[in-house]
Amino acid sequence: MLGSLIGLLMWAQLPVAALGWTACVVQSGSMRPALMPGDVVLYQPPPRDRTPAVGQIVLAQDPTRPGHLLTHRVYQVLPNNDLITKGDANSTPDSTPIRPTALEGVARLRVPSIGLPVQLWRAKQPVPEAILLLGLAALLALAALPLHSRNRHN
């Protein structure tokens, strides 16, 4: 199990290192059910020669919260190429358009739940952190146990 977890983490980082993609942990439920809190989404740099299409999920600088990023689906492309976005779980589109220069990436790959520890850490939830650390310690202890060969009885 620990090997699988490490493998998923490495697999999620391969496009980041090799292709210059961006990896982000989903923090809120605004994109449910497509993206769940704790999922890691890999974003390809946005193409500079064309605007993302309606329906694509984008990562952008949040126009209403400087210094924060926003992951929402393109709801509408305005004539000046600004984007109106909307979270799948939200009832209305976002009120502030996103300028094309604020785009950070277009979603290409989702790795479910692998970022849950990061999300819990950022939420400063000490009880889940303690449970997570104990679970990791238990997995490491199990991994360190010697394997016993089976004796075949004939």
Side-chain angles (χ1 to χ4, degrees):
M1 187 167 157
L2 186 58
S4 296
L5 180 64
I6 291 170
L8 278 173
L9 284 170
M10 289 174 46
W11 182 71
Q13 291 303 312
L14 183 64
V16 172
L19 303 174
W21 290 16
T22 301
C24 287
V25 177
V26 176
Q27 295 293 315
S28 76
S30 69
M31 283 298 295
R32 286 178 191 244
L35 303 175
M36 304 298 284
D39 289 353
V40 170
V41 180
L42 300 175
Y43 300 89
Q44 181 180 24
R48 296 295 173 200
D49 58 339
R50 67 178 197 266
T51 305
V54 170
Q56 285 188 302
I57 296 173
V58 295
L59 177 69
Q61 298 167 19
D62 191 335
T64 61
R65 295 176 31 213
H68 289 86
L69 296 174
L70 174 74
T71 294
H72 276 177
R73 193 176 300 277
V74 175
Y75 182 78
Q76 180 183 6
V77 179
L78 300 176
N80 65 353
N81 285 336
D82 283 0
L83 304 175
I84 300 294
T85 57
K86 178 183 176 292
D88 290 356
N90 297 344
S91 59
T92 60
D94 300 329
S95 59
T96 306
I98 294 175
R99 309 234 5 113
T101 55
L103 285 178
E104 298 287 330
V106 178
R108 293 293 179 223
L109 183 65
R110 171 185 162 249
V111 184
S113 303
I114 197 75
L116 198 54
V118 172
Q119 183 194 23
L120 294 174
W121 185 274
R122 286 182 181 166
K124 294 181 172 56
Q125 296 180 358
V127 174
E129 287 173 6
I131 293 170
L132 176 70
L133 290 174
L134 286 174
L136 185 57
L139 285 174
L140 288 172
L142 287 172
L145 290 176
L147 296 176
H148 297 288
S149 62
R150 294 184 194 178
N151 292 332
R152 291 189 178 188
H153 298 287
N154 292 334

